Amino acid sequence: MTKLRNSLVLAASAALLCLPMSASADTTVKAKLVEQNDSGVSGTVTLTALNNGGLKVVIHSKGLVPDQPHAQHIHGSAHGGHFGCPTLKKNDTDGDGVLTNEEAAGEYGTVFLALTTKGGTSPEDGLDVKRMPVADSQGRVDYERTFSAKTLPNGLIDHLSSLHVVQHGIDKNNNGQYDVDALGVSTFAESLGVPNIPEEATDPASCGVVQGAGMSGKPKGGVETGGAPAPEVNAPLAAAGAGLLLLSAGFAVSAVTRSRRRRIADESQPPA
């Protein structure tokens, strides 16, 4: 009887292991945007790695130059590593009081994915202002786009916790637009083969470090550390299924016990 009970419990446990659990849940990490170049920009970023290999990006920011396009990118490295947001004190190498993209990139890494509103997402697409979000009249950007797996560079999902999101575009001379008179022509844009772009348009306005940045490999732990979210909605169903399996095993054991007791009782009765 003990052997039978153990076999039934083991069977139920094995079936429990086969149930779909929350390991298949989408992985979400978040970043808080902080101002660069005294821009006054702030906001939040949510990156969700989807089960189909895609990536959903949601950005809500404010304090940007109103009615102007703002290039934005995911920065990082396909090899992981630790990155941080730049500071004027540490990264303004020429001491002119302005962080250029070249000065800041040493901290947040190279362009990994251009967060365009449509079309291509390569670093070469990173300065196509016609496909970048435009801040509204209050300087706000609300951005959402889901990128398919085939549009993502190799290593991005694997290093989700080692990424940064950077928004570009400042108004150094406070005239409500990007112009060459303020800081000259962008040498960063020129290096990508795009001439006559104002430096204001490419200088960083905000930077957000993904929570848990610096960890190599896929995120682990809770959302607060850049890992998987709480169990998804099907987790209670899985638990309920496990309960039913164990309950069934219990009923089976009880039925066998009752049958054995009846057989023993019948054998103990004197013959008629």
Side-chain angles (χ1 to χ4, degrees), residues 1 12 39 41 51 60 76 90 97 106 133 139 141 144 163 169 205 207 234 238-239 259 261:
M1 179 59 198
S39 65
V41 177
N51 289 332
H60 299 294
K90 179 180 179 181
V141 162
E144 180 176 324
L163 302 176
C207 175
N234 66 352
S259 176
R261 286 174 177 170

Side-chain angles (χ1 to χ4, degrees), residues 69-268:
H70 289 270
Q72 53 183 23
H73 318 102
I74 289 178
H75 290 253
S77 167
H79 306 293
H82 181 76
F83 296 96
C85 286
T87 64
L88 278 170
K89 182 178 180 179
K90 179 180 179 181
N91 303 106
D92 181 20
T93 55
D94 60 9
D96 66 352
V98 178
L99 274 175
T100 65
N101 191 67
E102 293 93 329
E103 291 172 328
E107 292 294 330
Y108 52 61
T110 58
V111 174
F112 212 6
L113 184 74
L115 298 178
T116 53
T117 56
K118 61 182 179 180
T121 61
S122 70
E124 290 72 23
D125 296 298
L127 290 179
D128 188 347
V129 295
K130 294 181 179 179
R131 294 188 292 116
M132 287 295 173
V134 177
D136 65 16
S137 60
Q138 302 300 313
R140 295 184 299 246
V141 162
D142 293 300
Y143 172 87
E144 180 176 324
R145 184 177 177 185
T146 298
F147 300 88
S148 65
K150 66 180 181 181
T151 64
L152 299 178
N154 293 332
L156 188 148
I157 296 298
D158 290 335
H159 295 287
L160 194 63
S161 290
S162 300
L163 302 176
H164 291 60
V165 174
V166 180
Q167 292 179 310
H168 301 261
I170 63 174
D171 183 13
K172 190 64 176 179
N173 56 358
N174 298 312
N175 66 349
Q177 60 183 353
Y178 305 140
D179 62 283
V180 175
D181 293 338
L183 299 172
V185 174
S186 170
T187 54
F188 172 66
E190 286 184 334
S191 71
L192 294 179
V194 185
N196 303 319
I197 299 295
E199 180 69 35
E200 285 183 316
T202 60
D203 287 343
S206 72
C207 175
V209 180
V210 167
Q211 294 178 12
M215 296 186 297
S216 60
K218 294 185 178 180
K220 295 174 181 161
V223 172
E224 295 77 8
T225 58
E232 60 182 350
V233 68
N234 66 352
L237 297 178
L244 289 174
L245 283 173
L246 294 175
L247 187 61
S248 298
F251 279 137
V253 171
S254 298
V256 171
T257 301
R258 289 194 300 271
S259 176
R260 185 168 182 267
R261 286 174 177 170
R262 283 197 300 270
R263 179 171 55 80
I264 292 174
D266 290 342
E267 290 174 354
S268 64

